[in-house]
């Protein structure tokens, strides 16, 4: 198929390599002229993927119209905070071209202020007569390892099942395995909220804490993700799969993770602005922490790790205050809150 990848960052570039390996005709779109030139002439993208060579038939363009004209499938590999504006530009071009496409996004976060999942943002922006389906591709997939063709497994979900099945076909290779999941809410919530936990675990690492507290935050963090996700209508089993536990493990334990590294930098004394600037890439967990904290307040969902991290990031609470808030909470059962949500979901589905 003709596929256009919107975004020339690390993940967009690595996915372009996967798509090319699966015999698709790939065009990348980016705003940075130097990056586009490097991809076309040197067949590298050294700013984001060092020591990785791209196939010579992967083309890049700085013309969004050219990219939209090329693609039967559009892969949106842009940050969440840019998704609405980029989608609006693409929608206008689709109208001008009178063309229908399949959309798949790979962003992991929630939109600030609206608290919407990315697919909800895209549904608002795109005219349905120009979009056959909207999909998400998510799971434990560091761009650096995908580019090295290390075995990777992810999930795809869509508003209509047919879209996810097409995405499975176009991405599946002998090193990149794609599973179809029918839970759009769960896949997007799992992918977004694991970044919060990764920030928290990165901070633990930066402060010199060991494996016990890290394991506790990862485990209880997954519990929080499942509580909010289930409240929003997700299937709780999704959070035990690739888009939940799988993505959480890889993001909260690896130096490849920008959220984990950002947490380390914050613990090392950098301000939030200094840490994100030093990263040189968007740290989705920062905005997602704010959006999730506010969303949890709206739906009255208990998310203590998110609440403490929100205070740490935006209200300057100290390390001691953060740990005191978590460790001295009222005694409770490990799974009582989630059990109540599950029972409520089952009751409402009858």
């Amino acid at each position: 198929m003709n596929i256009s990848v919107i975004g020339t960052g690390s993940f967009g570039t690595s996915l372009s390599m996967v798509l090319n390996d699966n015999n698709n005709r790939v065009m990348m779109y980016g705003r940075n002229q130097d990056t586009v030139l490097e991809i076309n002439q040197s067949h590298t993208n050294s700013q984001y993927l060092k020591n990785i060579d791209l196939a010579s038939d992967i083309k890049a363009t700085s013309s969004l119209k050219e990219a939209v004209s090329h693609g039967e499938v559009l892969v949106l590999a842009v940050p969440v905070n840019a998704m609405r504006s980029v989608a609006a530009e693409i929608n206008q071009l689709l109208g001008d071209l009178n063309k229908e496409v399949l959309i798949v996004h790979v962003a992991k976060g929630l939109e600030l202020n609206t608290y919407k999942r990315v697919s909800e943002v895209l549904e608002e922006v795109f005219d349905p007569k120009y979009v056959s389906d909207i999909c998400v591709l998510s799971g434990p997939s560091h761009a650096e390892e995908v580019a090295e063709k290390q075995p990777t497994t992810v999930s795809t979900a869509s508003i209509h099942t047919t879209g996810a099945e097409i995405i499975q076909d176009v991405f599946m290779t002998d090193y990149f395995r794609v599973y179809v999941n029918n839970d759009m809410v769960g896949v997007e919530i799992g992918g977004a909220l694991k970044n919060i936990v990764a920030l928290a675990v990165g901070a633990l690492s930066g402060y010199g804490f060991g494996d016990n507290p890290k394991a506790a935050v990862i485990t209880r963090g997954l519990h929080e993700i499942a509580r909010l996700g289930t409240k929003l209508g997700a299937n709780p089993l999704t959070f035990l799969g690739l888009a939940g536990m799988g993505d959480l493990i890889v993001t909260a334990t690896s130096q490849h993770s920008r959220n984990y590294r950002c947490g380390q930098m914050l613990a090392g004394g950098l301000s939030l602005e200094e840490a994100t600037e030093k990263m040189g890439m968007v740290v989705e967990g920062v905005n997602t922490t704010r959006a999730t904290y506010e969303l949890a307040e709206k739906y009255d969902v208990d998310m203590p790790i998110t609440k403490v991290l929100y205070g740490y990031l935006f209200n300057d609470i100290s390390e001691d205050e953060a740990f005191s808030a978590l460790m001295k909470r009222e005694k409770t059962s490990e799974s009582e809150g989630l059990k109540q949500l599950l029972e409520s979901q089952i009751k409402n589905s009858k």
Side-chain angles (χ1 to χ4, degrees):
M1 298 184 74
N2 292 334
I3 302 181
S4 292
V5 177
I6 310 302
T8 55
S10 57
F11 200 44
T13 303
S14 66
L15 290 179
S16 296
M17 297 171 68
V18 173
L19 291 164
N20 182 77
D21 285 345
N22 206 21
N23 300 314
N24 297 291
R25 295 167 294 278
V26 181
M27 177 176 288
M28 300 176 66
Y29 163 77
R31 297 181 188 274
N32 189 303
Q33 295 275 7
D34 291 337
T35 300
V36 169
L37 192 64
E38 181 186 350
I39 292 170
N40 286 331
Q41 293 187 352
S42 302
H43 312 301
T44 58
N45 188 353
S46 56
Q47 180 179 355
Y48 294 104
L49 290 175
K50 298 185 184 302
N51 304 316
I52 295 293
D53 293 324
L54 307 180
S56 60
D57 49 353
I58 295 177
K59 307 300 181 184
T61 180
S62 57
S63 166
L64 186 58
K65 182 176 181 179
E66 183 180 7
V68 173
S69 298
H70 170 82
E72 302 165 77
V73 176
L74 302 183
V75 181
L76 305 188
V78 299
V80 174
N81 63 4
M83 191 64 71
R84 187 177 289 273
S85 61
V86 171
E89 289 184 66
I90 293 172
N91 186 65
Q92 179 63 54
L93 289 168
L94 290 172
D96 295 342
L97 296 165
N98 193 26
K99 177 182 179 178
E100 184 183 73
V101 295
L102 174 62
I103 298 288
V104 56
H105 81 83
V106 296
K108 297 178 179 179
L110 300 175
E111 187 177 55
L112 275 178
N113 302 320
T114 70
Y115 321 130
K116 292 184 184 293
R117 294 176 286 109
V118 174
S119 66
E120 294 178 303
V121 172
L122 299 179
E123 274 192 284
E124 282 187 359
V125 174
F126 281 114
D127 188 325
K129 67 184 177 184
Y130 300 130
V131 175
S132 61
D133 206 349
I134 294 171
C135 313
V136 58
L137 187 75
S138 189
S141 49
H142 288 314
E144 297 85 351
E145 294 188 4
V146 173
E148 293 170 353
K149 302 187 181 181
Q150 294 197 31
T152 301
T153 54
V154 297
S155 295
T156 184
S158 58
I159 295 172
H160 310 295
T161 307
T162 52
E165 291 172 349
I166 293 171
I167 294 305
Q168 182 182 45
D169 286 340
V170 298
F171 276 97
M172 184 90 91
T173 70
D174 58 358
Y175 65 90
F176 195 85
R177 182 170 179 80
V178 183
Y179 290 88
V180 170
N181 188 314
N182 62 5
D183 180 16
M184 189 81 163
V185 176
V187 171
E188 289 187 301
I189 290 295
L193 271 58
K194 54 88 182 178
N195 288 328
I196 299 172
V197 181
L199 268 172
V201 176
L204 286 176
S205 175
Y207 282 120
F209 284 89
D211 294 335
N212 290 355
K214 292 175 188 175
V217 169
I218 290 171
T219 306
R220 297 305 298 172
L222 181 62
H223 204 84
E224 289 191 15
I225 294 169
R227 272 205 297 270
L228 182 60
T230 304
K231 185 77 170 182
L232 297 175
N235 181 342
L237 292 178
T238 297
F239 303 113
L240 299 179
L242 293 167
M245 181 170 61
D247 209 1
L248 175 58
I249 290 170
V250 83
T251 309
T253 62
S254 173
Q255 285 293 333
H256 286 314
S257 165
R258 64 190 71 171
N259 291 280
Y260 181 85
R261 298 202 313 274
C262 183
Q264 288 180 314
M265 291 178 189
L266 293 171
L270 295 185
S271 68
L272 183 55
E273 293 74 18
E274 289 169 338
T276 51
E277 182 179 350
K278 188 172 181 179
M279 288 296 302
M281 296 181 284
V282 173
V283 181
E284 293 286 14
V286 174
N287 282 345
T288 301
T289 299
R290 184 188 292 276
T292 302
Y293 169 78
E294 294 172 357
L295 191 60
E297 291 282 301
K298 176 180 178 181
Y299 285 100
D300 193 26
V301 176
D302 186 30
M303 300 186 73
I305 294 171
T306 302
K307 183 177 181 179
V308 166
L309 185 63
Y310 175 85
Y312 179 75
L313 293 176
F314 303 112
N315 293 332
D316 295 323
I317 68 169
S318 69
E319 169 198 349
D320 289 339
E321 289 174 303
F323 285 107
S324 177
L326 287 175
M327 297 302 291
K328 295 182 179 180
R329 296 173 62 239
E330 183 179 347
K331 292 182 291 186
T332 184
S333 169
E334 182 176 17
S335 58
E336 187 61 33
L338 184 57
K339 179 183 176 184
Q340 292 172 355
L341 279 172
L342 292 173
E343 288 174 345
S344 174
Q345 185 186 49
I346 292 170
K347 181 180 178 180
N348 292 334
S349 66
K350 290 181 179 179

